Amino acid sequence: MAAGRLSFTNITALAPMVRVGTLPMRLLALDYGADVVYCEELIDIKMAQCQRVENDVLQTVDFVAPDDRVMFRTCEREKDRVVFQMGGMGAALLSDPDMIEAILRKLVSGVSIPVTCKIRVLPSLEETLNLVQRIEKTGIAAVAVHGRFKEERPRHPVHCDYIRAVAQAVSIPVIANGGSLDLVKTNGDIDEFRKATGTSSVMLARAAMWNASVFACEGPLPVERVMEEYLKYAIRYDNHAFNTKYCLCQMLRDKVESPLGKQVQAAQTNAEISEAYGLQEFYRQTQNQLQARRDALQSGSQPVRPVVDGDVTTMAVKFERREYPPQITPKMFLLEWSRREKLEQPQYETVQRSQDRSFQSTVTVGDKKYRSSLWEKSKKFAEQAAAIVCLRVLGIPEGRIGEEDSGLVCKRKREGKANGTTEEERSKKRHVAEIQQETSKIPAVANGERPEQA
C-alpha cells in the first residue's frame, strides 16, 4: 500500500528487501533518483499491535510494537513516495489464488489509498496469466512481477518472456523485477530491462542494495561514498546499529573481510560504526542536535499524564541523571516522604526484557503501585523512573535542580550524600573501625605462627 496517490507507470522503484528497506536505505534511493521506495515486508499481525507515535525529536512517524521495537519509521521526505509492504505467507500464497483474490478485494475496499501486489511467476505461463488477470479484477493499482519461479534463487536467470506476457495480458501497470543478477549493472541497463520485459516500470533489489547510486542518471558512484551517505542517514534517524551493520556489509560484498569490513562487523553501536568510516564528528554533531531538540521539547512540553493499567499507575517518564544534583535522587525523596508519613519502605520489583536487556521497575508505596511505561538501560535507572512516577502522581517534590527546597531531605543528608557517605555508610565505617581496633590487640603472626609458637 502506498501513501497518497502514487503513479506506477514509468517509474523506477526500490524493491522490498528484508532488513534492507528501512528508512536510511529508502531515503538514499530517493536521493539518487528512485521514484518510489518499498519498505521491507512487515507482518500484518505484528503491525496491528503497533502504536503510532509522533517522534518529535527525529521528526518521524514511528509504529512501535508493545516491546518498544520500532517496526516501521517514516518521515516527510518520503511522503507519497513510500509503499508499505505487508505480507506473511510469501510465495506460499501463490498456490491459493482464491485467498490472494479475497485478501486484495478486502484491502482495496477497505482503504482509500492505492493497493499493489508483488508475485513470482508460476510454473506455466497459462497459470501465471490466469492469476494476474484475477488479480487485476480486484481493483489494485499495479502488479510487480518477479520473473522467477517459487523455488528458483537469485543465481537463476530471470524469465523476461513471462513478465512480457503478463504486461500484454493486463491493462494495469506491470513492474518488472528480478534483473539485478545479469541484466542491470548500471543506470543505463534499467531501460534495457524495461524493453526486454515490455513493461513501463522496473523494480530493483540487489543492484540497489549493493550500490544505491544505480538509480542515478550520471552513473554509479564509488561504493565508499554511497556507504558514507547511507551511514549519515542511519545516524540522523537513529537506525538500529545491527540493521546499519547488515546493510553496510551487503554493500561491502566481497570486501566484508577487509580491515574496514572487520571493523564494521565488530562494532556494536552506530558510534563505533561511525569511527570505522571517519564520521565521528558528524556523529557527535548529530547527537548534540538531537539532544538540543529533545531538551527544547521537554522544557516546553505539557506534563505527561498518568494512566491506570490494571492495578498500576503508569506514566511515560525517564530518569535523566543530569536533571538532579549529584547527591539527590527521586528514590531518596520517596523514601524520606514514606518515613515522614509512617508508611512502609518503598518496595521495588524490577524485570528485564530479553530482546534488548532493558529494565522496567514497579514501586509499591502504601499498597499502591507505580511504574514508568518506558524501559531503561539499567536496573537503577528503572527504579528511579518508578519513583518519579510515584512522586509526580502524589504531587511530592522529587529533588530536581531548581526545585524549591521541600525539607524532605535535610541538610545533613544532602551534605552526606555530597561527600559520598550516607548514615548507613557511616555506620558501616564505624563498625569496621571497631573491628580493626580489636584486631590490633591480637599479636602479630610471622610465617604462619604466633610469636609464642615460634
Side-chain angles (χ1 to χ4, degrees):
M1 297 184 294
R5 277 290 161 188
L6 280 173
S7 170
F8 293 93
T9 303
N10 297 318
I11 66 160
T12 303
L14 175 71
M17 289 179 281
V18 176
R19 293 197 287 173
V20 174
T22 47
L23 184 59
M25 182 62 77
R26 299 198 306 268
L27 295 177
L28 191 66
L30 289 174
D31 284 350
Y32 287 130
D35 301 296
V36 173
V37 288
Y38 282 66
C39 77
E40 60 178 332
E41 184 178 294
L42 297 167
I43 308 301
D44 53 345
I45 296 176
K46 291 184 178 180
M47 289 303 299
Q49 301 170 344
C50 288
Q51 180 182 6
R52 185 181 188 275
V53 177
E54 299 278 348
N55 190 324
D56 294 326
V57 175
L58 297 179
Q59 297 177 335
T60 60
V61 176
D62 299 344
F63 290 81
V64 184
D67 61 5
D68 288 343
R69 283 185 301 158
V70 177
M71 301 296 293
F72 177 67
R73 172 169 284 163
T74 186
C75 67
E76 185 69 22
R77 169 75 174 85
E78 63 175 4
K79 185 178 180 181
D80 298 337
R81 309 282 293 280
V82 64
V83 178
F84 183 81
Q85 176 82 353
M86 191 168 63
M89 289 179 278
L93 196 59
L94 288 172
S95 60
D96 193 348
D98 291 337
M99 181 64 74
I100 293 175
E101 186 175 348
I103 291 173
L104 291 176
R105 286 191 184 279
K106 188 72 172 179
L107 284 172
V108 170
S109 63
V111 298
S112 59
I113 53 180
V115 176
T116 71
C117 79
K118 180 173 177 285
I119 65 167
R120 284 193 173 218
V121 295
L122 295 172
S124 75
L125 182 57
E126 182 181 5
E127 289 178 283
T128 303
L129 296 182
N130 286 337
L131 176 60
V132 294
Q133 286 169 344
R134 288 184 67 175
I135 287 174
E136 180 184 25
K137 291 176 182 177
T138 64
I140 66 168
V143 59
V145 181
H146 182 166
R148 290 186 177 86
F149 303 137
K150 181 173 66 174
E151 66 278 3
E152 289 184 323
R153 305 268 58 87
R155 65 179 180 274
H156 294 102
V158 62
H159 300 284
C160 291
D161 54 336
Y162 272 67
I163 303 177
R164 189 185 309 110
V166 169
Q168 294 171 352
V170 296
S171 58
I172 58 175
V174 175
I175 309 169
N177 177 229
S180 293
L181 175 67
D182 45 13
L183 296 178
V184 180
K185 299 290 193 301
T186 66
N187 183 265
D189 298 330
I190 295 175
D191 278 336
E192 294 302 317
F193 185 42
R194 215 185 298 262
K195 293 174 184 176
T197 56
T199 61
S200 66
S201 299
V202 169
M203 176 183 284
L204 299 179
R206 286 168 301 137
M209 175 180 70
W210 294 328
N211 190 327
S213 69
V214 70
F215 292 111
C217 295
E218 61 269 23
L221 300 173
V223 71
E224 292 79 11
R225 175 177 167 185
V226 175
M227 286 191 288
E228 286 188 10
E229 293 303 314
Y230 167 83
L231 182 53
K232 288 179 180 179
Y233 272 131
I235 294 168
R236 166 68 182 81
Y237 288 101
D238 193 27
N239 197 53
H240 196 289
F242 291 103
N243 180 254
T244 302
K245 282 173 57 173
Y246 179 83
C247 291
L248 288 170
C249 286
Q250 300 309 307
M251 296 183 219
L252 283 165
R253 300 183 71 184
D254 57 351
K255 296 179 181 178
V256 74
E257 293 301 323
S258 66
L260 173 61
K262 289 180 179 179
Q263 191 174 354
V264 171
Q265 291 183 72
Q268 297 297 308
T269 64
N270 281 332
E272 293 175 358
I273 299 173
S274 300
E275 291 180 15
Y277 287 87
L279 292 175
Q280 302 98 310
E281 183 61 20
F282 177 85
Y283 179 86
R284 187 190 64 79
Q285 290 178 357
T286 301
Q287 293 306 308
N288 289 342
Q289 292 169 2
L290 295 177
Q291 187 59 53
R293 191 177 297 159
R294 193 177 291 114
D295 292 342
L297 289 168
Q298 191 173 39
S299 63
S301 62
Q302 296 296 319
V304 180
R305 298 189 179 281
V307 175
V308 177
D309 181 9
D311 64 341
V312 183
T313 301
T314 70
M315 291 177 70
V317 299
K318 293 185 77 69
F319 173 63
E320 300 287 352
R321 174 71 267 185
R322 66 182 181 279
E323 295 182 2
Y324 301 85
Q327 67 273 22
I328 296 298
T329 65
K331 280 184 67 177
M332 185 179 178
F333 266 64
L334 183 58
L335 176 61
E336 293 300 323
W337 180 84
S338 299
R339 287 172 174 169
R340 191 182 72 180
E341 297 297 315
K342 295 181 170 50
L343 297 173
E344 290 187 8
Q345 181 173 322
Q347 299 296 316
Y348 295 87
E349 295 181 12
T350 307
V351 295
Q352 186 176 28
R353 192 165 57 186
S354 60
Q355 62 266 30
D356 61 0
R357 305 184 67 80
S358 295
F359 295 87
Q360 189 178 59
S361 187
T362 301
V363 62
T364 302
V365 178
D367 295 327
K368 293 185 178 180
K369 298 180 179 180
Y370 306 87
R371 178 174 66 223
S372 172
S373 58
L374 305 180
W375 293 74
E376 295 279 3
K377 294 302 180 184
S378 75
K379 180 176 181 291
K380 290 182 179 179
F381 275 35
E383 291 177 349
Q384 297 291 358
I388 293 172
V389 173
C390 180
L391 292 166
R392 291 185 185 179
V393 169
L394 298 176
I396 303 167
E398 59 192 77
R400 297 171 73 178
I401 294 173
E403 192 177 81
E404 186 177 348
D405 185 9
S406 63
L408 272 177
V409 179
C410 65
K411 182 179 180 181
R412 176 178 57 81
K413 289 195 174 183
R414 284 177 180 268
E415 291 175 347
K417 271 288 186 178
N419 295 327
T421 57
T422 62
E423 183 61 37
E424 182 181 3
E425 289 168 339
R426 285 193 291 272
S427 176
K428 286 181 179 179
K429 287 183 177 180
R430 285 195 299 270
H431 182 61
V432 170
E434 290 170 359
I435 292 175
Q436 290 175 339
Q437 186 176 5
E438 292 297 323
T439 304
S440 64
K441 298 176 182 178
I442 300 174
V445 177
N447 300 321
E449 299 178 336
R450 297 193 185 279
E452 64 268 20
Q453 296 174 330

